[in-house]
Amino acid sequence: MECCSIHASWSPGGNVSGTAGRADRTEDGATPGGPHRPGTPAAPRGRGPVVAALMTGMALAALDGTIVSTAVPQIVGDLGGLSVFSWLFSGYLLAVTVTLPVYGKLSDTFGRKPVLIAGIVLFLTGSLLCAAAWSMESLIAFRIVQGLGGGALQGTVQTIAADLYPLKERPRIQARLSTVWAASSVAGPALGGLLAGYADWRWIFLVNLPVGGVALWLIVRHLAEPDRAGASPGPRARARVDWPGALAIFATGTLLLTALVQGGVAWPWLSAPSLALFAGAAALTAVTVLIERRAAEPIIPGWVWRRRTIAAVNLSLGALGLLMVAPTVFLPTYAQSVLGLGPIAAGFVLSAMTLSWPITAALSNRVYNRIGFRLTAVTGMTLAVLVLLAFPLLPHPGEPWQPALLMLLLGAALGLFQLPLIVGVQSTVPWAERGTTTASVLFCRQVGQSVGAAVFGAVANAVLSTRLTEGGLDDPAALTPAAVDTAVEYVFAGAAAAGALALAVLLTLAPRHFPVLTDDDRTTT
């Protein structure tokens, strides 16, 4: 569930001082304010309509990640294609993930507004086409078009929110965006089921049109970007886009994510299709590196990985994406198969996490203002690992409030982990690098989720297969709740290991104090 996956904001934290060029190299030295000049965000006046548009765009992206799930029976009954329906989700995920770096670079090159407008238009076009689909194949193709727009929505909304607000105000707006994502993700399956059951599944996509239309109108009318041409002396350089690099990244990501999403599902892991996809992804990765090294304006510049802070945050949030698969994918199965709950009640067990996450995210600035970004994130992930390790200790059979309580605690812990990292990494770069930096973070988290789904799916399948063999059974439906309970326990233990990996990255790679820039330095180009 993406609810917890896209938070971005910042504020200072820490106590080290020093300078490097124009940058104020402290976590507590950035002070908002000062006269408006070219290259700086617009004044706070009139931000309300833009914030409303950002929240609406966030809701669209979150809803479409989950709203189709409960309508699959109706869609398959109407269009057929049972053997390929999983690509309704995989295709959307692939398109969103592989386009994030491209949109991040485009937003740094041409500005946030045109990229977000193009993304909304593409998303709404895909929605309209989905509603008109005549076969499962056409619906999958149009879901990919939706995902191409969804990639712009996810990354650019976060970047604009960081552009609009000075340091001390960003946690508030990002907590709002987090809450919108959480509520939309949880409401998606219920809304999809209602529309499919009482209207028609095509309305799942048609409802995007008026909502997205309002967001588009608000952005066009109210979002005023800075005059970047006046931010630096001399003639403005002609914008160049690394289209070969964009194509190479898209192709590499498509092969890799297809291998991860479909491996063990559509074909065995060691089968010819899996091996061919992984080999192709490895070859294209080498080609992409060569293209990006030679490009004048690479889509994924080398500094994304050469700078310790950005590299550490990328890897840490990749581990977070892997970790999040345990509760979002396997907890609903646990609640229904082990606890005997219905789908709606199982959703409420998971939704406890979405209640506490935005609260601690909104309050996290009070923590990282005192102890710094890294230590706040380390504290949050340490608590998260303890919660994940507590899950296998739950009694069997247990009560629904027990996993719900753990999810409440997990959300609180991860709110302290993710927000300070994205806040911190965005505060270390100027305007012209913020889109690329934000997109790289979101891209790594998305890839982590795909890897987690593949790895933990393999772990769960291995445990269940062992139980079937030990019991002399050949029908998966004959698996006992105890077998499912054991499989999910292994998955949560693996999630705890992913959390430990994130801690190791932060403690060994991330600097103790993030090199925060002043507001003026971060907004000049």
Side-chain angles (χ1 to χ4, degrees):
M1 182 174 59
E2 275 303 311
C3 73
C4 313
S5 62
I6 301 194
H7 314 100
S9 142
W10 50 27
S11 204
N15 301 305
V16 177
S17 62
T19 60
R22 294 182 300 119
D24 183 345
R25 312 297 283 182
T26 73
E27 292 188 27
D28 60 356
T31 54
H36 180 70
R37 62 182 179 79
T40 61
R45 298 186 302 274
R47 291 183 303 195
V50 178
V51 172
L54 297 182
M55 295 174 72
T56 302
M58 185 69 73
L60 284 175
L63 278 171
D64 267 77
T66 60
I67 195 171
V68 176
S69 59
T70 49
V72 167
Q74 289 80 7
I75 296 175
V76 171
D78 189 9
L79 300 180
L82 178 62
S83 62
V84 295
F85 83 89
S86 63
W87 275 99
L88 291 176
F89 313 100
S90 301
Y92 183 85
L93 171 67
L94 288 169
V96 169
T97 303
V98 299
T99 55
L100 277 169
V102 178
Y103 285 126
K105 183 61 179 179
L106 290 177
S107 74
D108 284 342
T109 303
F110 298 107
R112 329 296 192 208
K113 185 173 181 177
V115 172
L116 183 57
I117 289 174
I120 294 175
V121 170
L122 193 56
F123 183 87
L124 296 181
T125 300
S127 298
L128 183 60
L129 291 172
C130 285
W134 57 89
S135 66
M136 183 63 73
E137 291 74 18
S138 65
L139 181 58
I140 291 171
F142 299 148
R143 280 283 285 173
I144 292 174
V145 174
Q146 260 195 318
L148 295 176
L153 286 174
Q154 285 198 21
T156 314
V157 162
Q158 302 301 314
T159 308
I160 292 175
D163 290 341
L164 287 176
Y165 282 81
L167 290 175
K168 292 184 179 179
E169 295 183 40
R170 289 197 181 106
R172 184 176 61 188
I173 177 59
Q174 297 300 339
R176 292 179 185 174
L177 293 176
S178 300
T179 302
V180 168
W181 187 278
S184 300
S185 297
V186 173
L191 179 59
L194 288 173
L195 290 174
Y198 295 97
D200 186 272
W201 63 265
R202 298 179 189 274
W203 281 100
I204 290 174
F205 305 104
L206 291 174
V207 295
N208 292 333
L209 301 181
V211 178
V214 171
L216 183 62
W217 180 80
L218 291 173
I219 290 295
V220 170
R221 182 173 178 83
H222 294 285
L223 178 59
E225 288 205 277
D227 177 14
R228 294 183 294 124
S232 57
R236 184 176 181 180
R238 181 180 179 182
R240 290 180 291 181
V241 179
D242 175 27
W243 293 115
L247 181 60
I249 292 169
F250 190 91
T252 303
T254 298
L255 289 185
L256 176 60
L257 292 177
T258 300
L260 292 172
V261 170
Q262 297 298 105
V265 178
W267 48 69
W269 282 109
L270 297 180
S271 65
S274 279
L275 296 177
L277 286 170
F278 280 119
L284 283 177
T285 298
V287 172
T288 302
V289 171
L290 291 176
I291 292 175
E292 294 297 87
R293 282 183 174 180
R294 297 179 179 179
E297 295 290 340
I299 296 295
I300 302 181
W303 53 259
V304 168
W305 294 106
R306 287 195 298 268
R307 297 181 192 177
R308 288 178 58 198
T309 304
I310 301 176
V313 171
N314 283 344
L315 294 174
S316 297
L317 290 185
L320 173 65
L322 194 154
L323 175 159
M324 284 301 299
V325 171
T328 57
V329 175
F330 290 92
L331 186 63
T333 300
Y334 171 87
Q336 295 180 70
S337 300
V338 178
L339 301 181
L341 302 179
I344 296 178
F348 279 118
V349 172
L350 177 60
S351 66
M353 183 172 62
T354 69
L355 299 176
S356 56
W357 190 311
I359 295 174
T360 54
L363 298 176
S364 64
N365 66 316
R366 300 187 181 184
V367 182
Y368 60 70
N369 277 333
R370 292 179 177 271
I371 65 176
F373 293 118
R374 188 183 77 158
L375 188 53
T376 302
V378 167
T379 301
M381 183 52 73
T382 300
L383 296 174
V385 170
L386 294 176
V387 172
L388 292 167
L389 289 175
F391 188 89
L393 302 179
L394 291 178
H396 173 75
E399 297 294 332
W401 66 266
Q402 294 168 333
L405 176 60
L406 289 184
M407 290 304 100
L408 192 70
L409 296 174
L410 182 63
L414 294 179
L416 286 177
F417 171 77
Q418 181 173 263
L419 187 74
L421 287 183
I422 303 183
V423 166
V425 77
Q426 284 184 324
S427 66
T428 66
V429 295
W431 189 99
E433 297 176 354
R434 195 177 294 152
T436 298
T437 300
T438 303
S440 72
V441 169
L442 299 180
F443 175 76
C444 289
R445 193 211 59 239
Q446 291 282 97
V447 172
Q449 288 179 329
S450 298
V451 172
V455 171
F456 293 145
V459 169
N461 287 336
V463 173
L464 295 176
S465 296
T466 300
R467 287 302 183 95
L468 281 172
T469 302
E470 291 175 349
L473 305 172
D474 57 5
D475 183 6
L479 284 168
T480 64
V484 176
D485 179 56
T486 302
V488 175
E489 286 177 356
Y490 274 91
V491 168
F492 269 80
L501 176 62
L503 285 175
V505 168
L506 288 176
L507 293 174
T508 59
L509 185 59
R512 183 177 180 183
H513 297 282
F514 284 19
V516 174
L517 307 183
T518 65
D519 275 336
D520 284 345
D521 290 332
R522 281 185 282 105
T523 52
T524 55
T525 59

